[in-house]
């Protein structure tokens, strides 16, 4: 079977819930995010871990919020982000799963299509179950309207009229670009919600509430692009020592936020990139002083917030970040691509190996014998189908060898 045929069969099975795919099966489960009430859209907040009432003192939205109200609905009321389904791919016949690999996807992703052969390779080569867990407001956690091609094409036209010098605006990225441009703090809060959701998932499994996953299960993480940002925070924070034995494999990922180049018609446009950099890097300390809620989660007794903060800007608390990476240097492996302009290899190395190159995290650079990009490392190209298949096998043989060490 060709690579393209295999991808199409996997997509059909994933979408339809077919139970037999080369001795593997997809199963679907429901999830309710308990952390959704941390999101923008309220005035009064409550930190359960500190029994503390908090008030958001955030600046008002940018004027671009006027363009399309159904894109700028308040985050806290988006039903799809609170209650959603997720899929697990597992070897057929295993009624109780004791080993899991999470797949964490990239920024502005709307479908799992490209990840399905990745998950199949991991499941087949390690015989563990693969959890396709969506980040907040991505994949099945976003309103379908944000992916409506006609509506988003019209919205992109309006955005280009408003910003004549904009680069990279497209129907694919206009919804997320407008939302983050209007409220750059969404990057922080949706990231923290995603962090808490995965912790919630792990704790539900450990308490025996998951019908498939054994309460004594172990798990690793395969993370791509911005998913690696979330995975690094999870690993370095090591909440309640849940991640003591977790191995983290980063693919096209690993650098801190201010060393990325995310302007692309598939990721973010240039206007929101400037707004995010201004908020998260140049003026973040100023916002921390003005916003009680933000200050509590980033500057006070929340290690996840402190780790997130150091992952935003290379020089910020660099020694703190590098000491955390040093502790887990044997449990992290990164694969970079020579042709990746979003996560360049040298920036991944700067973060993972440290400024003095004294952190022994393996960063391996690969290149493929066909045209590829960060967003599409294994393209559906009939003429290059065999080369793409071989390259995918090379990558995931390395990934799975690392997981099995």
């Amino acid at each position: 079977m060709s690579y393209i045929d295999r991808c199409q069969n996997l997509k059909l099975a994933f979408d339809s819930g077919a139970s037999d795919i080369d001795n593997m099966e997809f199963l679907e489960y429901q999830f309710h995010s308990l952390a959704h009430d941390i999101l923008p859209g309220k005035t009064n907040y409550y930190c359960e871990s500190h029994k503390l009432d908090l008030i958001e003192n955030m600046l008002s939205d940018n004027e671009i919020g006027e363009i399309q109200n159904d894109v700028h609905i308040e985050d806290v009321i988006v039903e799809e982000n609170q209650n959603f389904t997720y899929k697990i791919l597992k070897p057929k016949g295993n009624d109780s799963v004791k080993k899991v690999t999470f797949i964490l996807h990239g920024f502005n992703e709307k479908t799992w299509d490209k990840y399905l052969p990745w998950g199949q390779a991991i499941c087949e080569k390690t015989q563990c179950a693969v959890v396709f867990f969506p980040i907040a407001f991505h994949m099945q956690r976003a309103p379908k309207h944000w992916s409506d091609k006609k509506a988003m094409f019209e919205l992109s036209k309006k955005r280009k009229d408003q910003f004549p010098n904009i680069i990279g605006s497209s129907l694919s990225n206009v919804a997320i670009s407008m939302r983050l441009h209007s409220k750059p703090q969404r990057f922080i809060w949706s990231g923290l919600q995603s962090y808490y959701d995965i912790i919630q998932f792990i704790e539900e499994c450990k308490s025996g509430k998951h019908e498939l996953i054994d309460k004594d299960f172990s798990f690793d993480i395969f993370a791509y692009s911005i998913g690696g940002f979330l995975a690094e925070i999870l690993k370095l924070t090591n909440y309640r020592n849940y991640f003591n034995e977790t191995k983290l494999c980063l693919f096209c990922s690993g650098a801190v936020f201010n060393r990325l180049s995310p302007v692309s018609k598939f990721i973010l446009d240039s206007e929101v990139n400037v707004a995010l950099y201004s908020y998260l890097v140049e003026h973040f300390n100023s916002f921390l002083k003005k916003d009680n809620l933000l200050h509590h989660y980033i500057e006070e007794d929340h290690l996840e917030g402190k780790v997130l903060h150091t992952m935003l800007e290379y020089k910020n608390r660099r020694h703190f970040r590098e000491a955390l990476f040093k502790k887990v240097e044997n449990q992290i492996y990164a694969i970079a691509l020579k042709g990746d302009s979003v996560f360049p290899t040298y920036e991944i190395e700067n973060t993972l190996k440290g400024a003095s190159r004294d952190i022994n995290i393996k960063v391996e650079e690969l290149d493929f014998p066909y045209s590829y990009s960060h967003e599409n490392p294994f393209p559906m190209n009939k003429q290059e189908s065999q080369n793409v298949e071989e390259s995918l096998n090379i990558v995931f043989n390395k990934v799975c060898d690392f997981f099995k060490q």
Side-chain angles (χ1 to χ4, degrees), residues 217-231:
F217 81 115
S218 61
F219 60 93
D220 295 319
I221 303 174
F222 175 85
Y224 162 78
S225 192
I226 203 68
F229 191 88
L230 171 60

Side-chain angles (χ1 to χ4, degrees), residues 239-252:
Y239 182 76
R240 293 187 176 176
N241 296 320
Y242 292 159
F243 298 82
N244 272 345
E245 305 302 321
T246 297
K247 290 184 177 179
L248 169 57
C249 185
L250 299 165
F251 181 47
C252 300

